[in-house]
Amino acid sequence: MSLTLDLAGRVAVITGGTRGVGAGIARAFLQAGAEVVVCARRPPDAPVTAAGRTAHFRPLDLCDPAAVRAFFPQVAAAHGRLDCLVNNAGGTPYRLLGQTAAERHARVVELNLLAPLTASLAAYEVLRDQPAGGSVIMIGSVSGTRPSPGTAAYGAAKAGLENLARSMAVEWAPRVRVNTLVLGMVRTELAALHYGDEAGIAAVGATVPLGRLAEPAEIGDACVFLASDRAGYLTGASLLAHGGGERPAFLGAATVNHPTTPEAPGRSAMTEQET
């Protein structure tokens, strides 16, 4: 039996959808049949296309609340409806906490937490009045689930974003579903800036249990699922898209040869916390 995710006739907005992960998400929605609107401060170098179709670009500064509030009614008026918002825009430079003032870190929090909040509130005003409601997808990060040295403000913002999504899911049910897709490392056109040449990217990928970085298209497929009717009972959920996460460092550092014989009945395995 095949599983078809058909979003034909639906309208999705992808913030930061002009490149990288955002463009991968936009292409996945196009392939599923949706009308796609991508927004960013600057237009893409080339149109975002897939399946013989092209995403519509609209300029938007997500840190301008008045512009964001006006944006979603305009999209609904132009396309007849709005079904899904994917809060993808975000990012951060590498900056240790003590190397700059709090105001610089606050800008990272603004982009990665306050901007998605503003966009979600504006989209909700449209989604809640539609017969079928709609959905909001937050693009989270494993940086929000573990220490994030060098990107601490980003990690804190992503942790807040995941919690925010859970609260939205409760407050906005049953009209609007809200879920978070928690990303690990993704191979984009900017991967070399973070991981170096092909050898560096392969070495970083080898630290992931699945042995490689994710592709933007795979992130897009997960978003399409969350936006589809197949995920109709999912709200307030966090879906991990990290290839199995990170192998615990203590496993590589340990010098003890662990026995492979089965344990005696009735005894539980020793956990890391019990050693």
Side-chain angles (χ1 to χ4, degrees), residues 23-239:
I25 295 170
R27 292 187 186 101
F29 273 82
L30 288 170
Q31 290 169 342
E35 288 294 315
V36 177
V37 177
V38 296
C39 61
R41 287 182 297 174
R42 293 178 293 274
D45 295 333
V48 179
T49 62
R53 305 170 61 242
T54 302
H56 307 274
F57 171 74
R58 286 177 173 261
L60 179 64
D61 181 355
L62 288 163
C63 293
D64 182 346
V68 173
R69 285 191 291 268
F71 178 83
F72 290 95
Q74 292 169 357
V75 169
H79 297 275
R81 59 191 292 167
L82 173 66
D83 298 277
C84 181
L85 164 64
V86 181
N87 280 305
N88 165 77
T92 182
Y94 182 88
R95 185 180 294 133
L96 294 174
L97 283 170
Q99 291 181 338
T100 190
E103 290 81 2
R104 296 284 296 276
H105 297 299
R107 294 193 196 112
V108 174
V109 175
E110 179 183 18
L111 175 61
N112 291 281
L113 178 57
L114 297 183
L117 170 60
T118 302
S120 298
L121 289 169
Y124 175 67
E125 294 298 316
V126 177
L127 295 171
R128 68 178 182 179
D129 293 331
Q130 297 183 151
S135 73
V136 174
I137 300 171
M138 304 294 195
I139 300 300
S141 170
V142 293
S143 293
T145 65
R146 55 156 171 74
S148 189
T151 56
Y154 175 80
K158 289 298 188 180
L161 188 66
E162 191 171 352
N163 186 272
L164 175 66
R166 293 193 186 109
S167 295
M168 284 179 172
V170 173
E171 291 192 16
W172 295 353
R175 305 293 300 155
V176 178
R177 296 185 298 109
V178 186
N179 294 291
T180 304
L181 186 63
V182 182
L183 306 190
M185 295 178 289
V186 184
R187 179 170 182 147
T188 70
E189 60 267 37
L190 299 178
L193 295 178
H194 301 286
Y195 312 124
D197 58 14
E198 286 299 318
I201 292 172
V204 171
T207 69
V208 179
L210 284 186
R212 62 178 177 84
L213 277 60
E215 296 294 334
E218 294 172 310
I219 305 306
D221 289 343
C223 286
V224 167
F225 166 69
L226 288 174
S228 74
D229 293 339
R230 293 283 184 167
Y233 199 66
L234 291 185
T235 193
S238 295
L239 177 60

